[in-house]
């Protein structure tokens, strides 16, 4: 007798004809828009011209567009998407059975591509617009390594040069990530490095630092603005990234609609917000337009708790303070998570769009400790057959918690979560968990107060 | 304008209803059957009773069944298959465009599961029958690591204990493979080890050996037969494995039939034969029954060339000579490939079924050097977005060679190859290629003559 007793398959794949042809821009449906990026010198909103010194022209247009709800996906990007999309929407029959829950659990699995995550959705878009603009190459940062890999792949496909600054702790824990990027022709530098002014300054100020996304961003931006024909691209936080990542939510919603499924709870991990923002976009759109209601939960690591313990204020996106100011939930741009933190989700801030939605009470947030994440992940891996990235594990942990609550209440909730990627390059972290040497770290109130003390003054 | 100008999508996925419900046993259509396994003591065909000391009862039945063409896939295995199957049949539009070939290239991609390869197809079947028999656990060997990972996953899912002997060179080059297996609850021992009699003997005879599949098999078999409630399982070579792996070919054929596609050339890499045997089974069946003709090419590493330079004779499957004799193309059971050989496909012998088909001229074989394999693989990865396992790279190399020939001849051949898995745990090898330090090794005629000199005498 099959576990699958009803008509919903284990995996729902849209056909290629059913794939989204437009991205959805959730800002268009927000009555109160996300606060604009500010020029740290003048305190005024960044103009398109100012942003174009750092970012590609078309991406700046997308970054500033808060009115157009749907934006066409260029055909070449649609073609690239077909190499690894649609991603499956999976019904977690085996997990439900293992937990003995009446809940119905679904996850959108974005790990079946070589970058190992959803990052490729925005990487190909950003590389495409760089190529269209006639640029030589792009620079970026990477933390856990998925974004750098994704950008390497997209750049190789389009024949662009790609320079990646990789957070030092990840560079050391994940030597093989570097080889994947090199196989795709990218150059990879551990950050902070001696190759940039900002890197040298950070090294002088914090010798022995294991790096942070904030540092690596500063270095990548400096590299781009000091080299002719290069622009900087970013894998999270920005509005344009959430726009591209809306393909996750659009596919999910189309697949659910096809089978008449409506989620009660939607859960995603949140570092800078790219996956969560992408997954929830069309659902949040319905919520903003008053057409439907959903419980939406952002899950972050207890060691880097920007939503749950941060401040909603203007702050720098980077440690070196070369970037514009963004209004967001932040722990302070000098915050660097403990090196014992294994997963990604290491960014001190959060997408301005998600920050504003959270501020308006349209979504909630939870912080979870990494040993509890790995415990959930191991249980999940053994029944669902997927070895998740630690980042994704944060969403899995809370989805399993919610499903367990349904055992007590008897509710047959439909739970949807984003499984952003695979953990094949995270086996160092898995090893510490397997060895029983993994520990948790929660910053003290004093530490957070210190890191938030120097927020920039905004007129 | 889309690259995809016709109606064949980038990826063909069967629906869950279209998945095979029976495996196909190619031996049933062979007029001359593969030679039976022999008892090395008596020289007589192994009886079911003798085999059941090592293997599970139901698997022995499958091993010896050369008459039943279709064997039902138990529902629980079908359910497990749905967690990661159907695998996509991919049309390589981007590779075709890059090469400028009039050929139409398809590949069956088996890498989208955590074991990273097709190995899971047989692992779940073998673990299932072990569980049904009421066993405590299973033992096995693993070379590149895919099979060990697959068996760990299947064992974790069913609650079986799993002991893996991993070829030492892979154990050292792929530390993270071990962590994946441990995450799935398996114990992993580098082979040869001090934990078995045969391991100690091999270490005494060849101190400093980097191991071979043949050694690891001997250790795993000894472990199984000396522990109550354990049986040995094998990821390749055996008839039962080819039977389970027929799911690859059956899905491929169903997907091709659905779109009216008929391959001219079918290409697979060959180590012990599990992937190649599985992929070609239903096509070979048509060929054996005179219903269709296909050019079928086995691709092996030049450093371990059993088809192209081996002898068709009875030989031991393992270095320690604890296993039955199999008639196969072999390099001699003491042959150990050079440690500079990066990929898997390290077995000294070959499936008896494939050996007999090759001997009858129903398929051909080519040997390729590893640097040329990695060159092809890098080109493939950059346009198709998949980072292949080095093993799979052997098939890619020859598929690309065949597609390039079509440029010269103008033929619009349809080329099908098996892309068995991903290379995420092979980045050490990729690193040597990226660094330009990878070298090739081809055994000399003298070396091969020495390793084949001690074939067992069969009456």
């Amino acid at each position: 007798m099959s576990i699958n007793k009803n008509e919903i398959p284990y995996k729902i794949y849209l056909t290629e004809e059913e794939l989204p042809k437009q991205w959805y821009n959730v800002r268009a449906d927000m009555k109160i828009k996300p606060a604009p990026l500010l020029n740290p010198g003048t305190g005024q909103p960044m103009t398109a011209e100012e942003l174009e010194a750092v970012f590609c022209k078309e991406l700046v247009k997308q970054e500033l567009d808060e009115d157009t709800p749907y934006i066409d996906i260029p055909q070449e990007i649609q073609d690239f998407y077909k190499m690894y999309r649609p991603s499956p929407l999976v019904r977690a029959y085996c997990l439900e059975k293992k937990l003995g829950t009446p809940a119905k659990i679904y996850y959108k699995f974005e790990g079946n591509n070589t970058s190992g995550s959803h990052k490729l959705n925005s990487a190909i878009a950003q590389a495409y617009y760089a190529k269209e603009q006639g640029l030589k190459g792009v620079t970026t940062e990477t933390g856990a390594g998925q974004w750098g890999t994704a950008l390497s792949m997209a750049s190789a496909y389009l024949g662009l040069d790609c320079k990646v600054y990789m957070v030092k702790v990840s560079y050391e824990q994940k030597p093989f990530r570097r080889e994947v990027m090199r196989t795709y022709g990218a150059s990879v530098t551990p950050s902070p490095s001696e190759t940039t002014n900002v890197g040298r300054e950070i090294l002088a100020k914090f010798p022995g630092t294991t790096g942070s996304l904030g540092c690596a961003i500063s270095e990548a931006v400096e590299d781009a603005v000091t080299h002719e024909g290069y622009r900087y691209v970013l894998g999270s936080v920005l509005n344009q990234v959430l726009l591209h990542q809306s393909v996750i939510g659009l596919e999910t919603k189309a697949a659910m609609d096809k089978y008449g499924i409506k989620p009660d709870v939607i859960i995603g991990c949140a570092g800078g917000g790219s996956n969560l923002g992408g997954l929830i976009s069309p659902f949040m759109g319905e919520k903003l337009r008053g057409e439907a209601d959903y419980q939406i939960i952002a899950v972050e690591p207890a060691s880097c708790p920007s939503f749950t313990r941060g401040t909603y204020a203007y702050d720098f996106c980077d440690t070196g303070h070369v970037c514009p100011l963004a209004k967001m939930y932040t722990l302070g741009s000098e915050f660097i998570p403990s090196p014992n933190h294994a997963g990604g989700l290491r960014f001190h801030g959060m997408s301005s769009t998600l920050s504003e939605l959270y501020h308006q009470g349209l979504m909630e947030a939870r912080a979870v400790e990494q040993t509890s994440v790995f415990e959930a992940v191991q249980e999940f891996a053994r029944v669902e057959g997927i070895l998740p990235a630690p980042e994704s594990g944060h969403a899995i942990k809370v989805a399993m918690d919610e499903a367990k609550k349904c055992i007590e209440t008897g509710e047959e909730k439909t739970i949807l979560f984003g499984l952003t990627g695979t953990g094949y390059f995270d086996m160092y972290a898995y090893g510490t968990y397997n060895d029983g040497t993994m520990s948790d770290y929660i910053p003290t109130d004093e530490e957070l107060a210190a890191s938030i003390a120097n927020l920039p003054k905004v007129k």
Side-chain angles (χ1 to χ4, degrees), chain A:
Chain A
M1 186 63 189
S2 173
I3 299 180
N4 176 3
K5 293 187 197 71
N6 59 36
E7 292 181 3
I8 296 172
Y10 278 64
K11 295 195 269 12
I12 305 175
Y13 283 107
L14 298 176
T15 66
E16 284 175 11
E17 293 70 41
E18 292 168 331
L19 291 181
K21 288 169 184 58
Q22 297 181 308
W23 293 303
Y24 169 63
N25 181 4
V26 73
R27 287 167 290 162
D29 282 311
M30 291 171 72
K31 276 174 205 128
I32 305 168
K33 306 291 183 189
L37 294 169
L38 296 187
N39 181 320
T42 64
Q44 294 302 305
M46 292 287 289
T47 63
E49 205 174 10
E50 286 170 331
L51 286 168
E52 285 167 13
V54 178
F55 299 109
C56 304
K57 208 174 161 70
E58 189 64 28
L59 292 167
V60 168
K61 200 173 138 198
Q62 294 179 355
E63 189 63 29
L64 299 176
D65 184 344
E66 51 188 35
D67 300 313
T68 314
Y70 289 95
I71 293 175
D72 288 344
I73 306 175
Q75 186 62 50
E76 198 164 349
I77 299 175
Q78 287 190 46
D79 282 346
F80 188 89
Y81 279 170
K82 286 178 197 159
M83 279 178 22
Y84 69 101
R85 306 200 70 83
S87 69
L89 177 68
V90 185
R91 173 72 184 268
Y93 285 113
C94 299
L95 180 63
E96 291 170 19
K97 189 182 166 194
K98 175 79 191 318
L99 296 176
T101 178
K104 296 172 186 70
I105 308 174
Y106 292 86
Y107 53 92
K108 182 69 168 169
F109 179 44
E110 292 285 317
N112 274 348
N113 71 74
T114 296
S115 78
S117 82
H118 65 294
K119 295 289 186 184
L120 201 49
N121 301 330
S122 185
I124 185 60
Q126 297 194 49
Y128 170 82
Y129 292 118
K131 180 80 179 176
E132 284 291 289
Q133 196 175 322
L135 298 177
K136 280 188 224 161
V138 287
T139 72
T140 199
E141 80 300 324
T142 199
Q146 286 103 331
W147 168 247
T149 310
L151 191 67
S152 304
M153 290 176 67
S155 298
Y157 183 80
L158 296 169
L160 281 173
D161 188 31
C162 177
K163 302 195 233 178
V164 180
Y165 290 84
M166 185 169 187
V167 177
K168 194 179 276 174
V169 64
S170 293
Y171 185 89
E172 286 165 0
Q173 284 182 359
K174 304 182 181 187
F176 295 154
R177 268 278 177 211
R178 182 191 50 188
E179 291 306 334
V180 181
M181 292 186 251
R182 287 178 74 205
T183 298
Y184 282 96
S187 70
V188 188
T189 307
S191 168
S193 79
E194 296 282 353
T195 66
T196 64
N197 288 326
V198 68
R200 286 187 290 270
E201 280 165 28
I202 291 166
L203 282 170
K205 197 166 169 191
F206 306 100
T209 175
T210 54
S212 71
L213 269 185
C215 298
I217 293 172
S218 300
E219 291 203 84
V221 171
E222 181 182 319
D223 189 330
V225 298
T226 55
H227 290 89
E228 178 82 25
Y230 283 79
R231 289 293 185 283
Y232 167 70
V233 297
L234 179 63
S236 192
V237 182
L238 296 175
N239 296 324
Q240 57 189 268
V241 177
L242 266 66
L243 175 72
H244 307 146
Q245 294 295 358
S246 70
V247 71
I248 304 173
L250 293 164
E251 273 188 15
T252 303
K253 187 147 192 334
M256 290 195 134
D257 286 349
K258 200 168 165 179
Y259 285 87
I261 307 159
K262 195 180 161 302
D264 298 299
V265 192
I266 305 171
I267 300 164
C269 61
S274 68
N275 140 69
L276 180 69
L279 175 66
I280 68 173
S281 276
F283 299 99
M284 185 60 85
E286 288 187 305
K287 199 164 168 168
L288 288 163
R289 296 188 302 268
E291 295 164 9
D293 196 20
Y294 304 99
Q295 183 186 13
I296 296 174
I297 308 173
V299 191
E300 58 187 15
S303 56
C304 191
S306 30
F307 266 141
T308 52
R309 296 176 69 199
T311 302
Y312 190 39
Y314 267 104
D315 195 5
F316 286 97
C317 293
D318 65 321
T319 313
H321 298 180
V322 301
C323 289
L325 303 178
K327 190 174 179 194
M328 57 186 176
Y329 281 85
T330 178
L331 300 167
S333 65
E334 288 183 359
F335 180 83
I336 293 186
S338 161
N340 87 341
H341 172 56
L345 314 174
R346 301 172 68 84
F347 188 56
H348 66 274
M350 182 57 67
S351 143
S352 288
T353 299
L354 291 184
S355 292
E356 182 54 34
L357 291 166
Y358 179 64
H359 187 66
Q360 291 178 29
L362 290 158
M363 49 187 276
E364 48 194 279
R366 293 193 199 156
V368 292
E369 296 178 35
Q370 68 179 354
T371 51
S372 70
V373 167
F374 275 82
E375 191 183 351
V377 152
Q378 190 183 68
E379 188 173 0
F380 177 87
R382 291 184 182 185
V383 292
E384 286 289 317
I386 289 171
L387 190 83
E391 297 83 355
S392 325
H394 290 72
I396 292 172
K397 160 71 179 154
V398 170
M400 284 170 64
D401 286 349
E402 290 297 309
K404 286 175 192 166
K405 279 186 205 162
C406 291
I407 302 172
E408 291 162 33
T409 64
E411 289 174 289
E412 296 186 14
K413 279 191 183 173
T414 297
I415 299 169
L416 165 67
F417 71 90
L419 207 168
T420 55
T422 50
Y424 305 138
F425 293 97
D426 299 287
M427 296 321 296
Y428 178 91
Y430 272 93
T432 63
Y433 180 75
N434 291 337
D435 289 337
T437 57
M438 176 175 277
S439 59
D440 288 313
Y441 178 76
I442 302 178
T444 64
D445 289 340
E446 291 70 30
E447 283 171 304
L448 290 184
S451 71
I452 205 74
N454 296 315
L455 283 182
K457 309 244 174 320
V458 175
K459 294 147 210 169

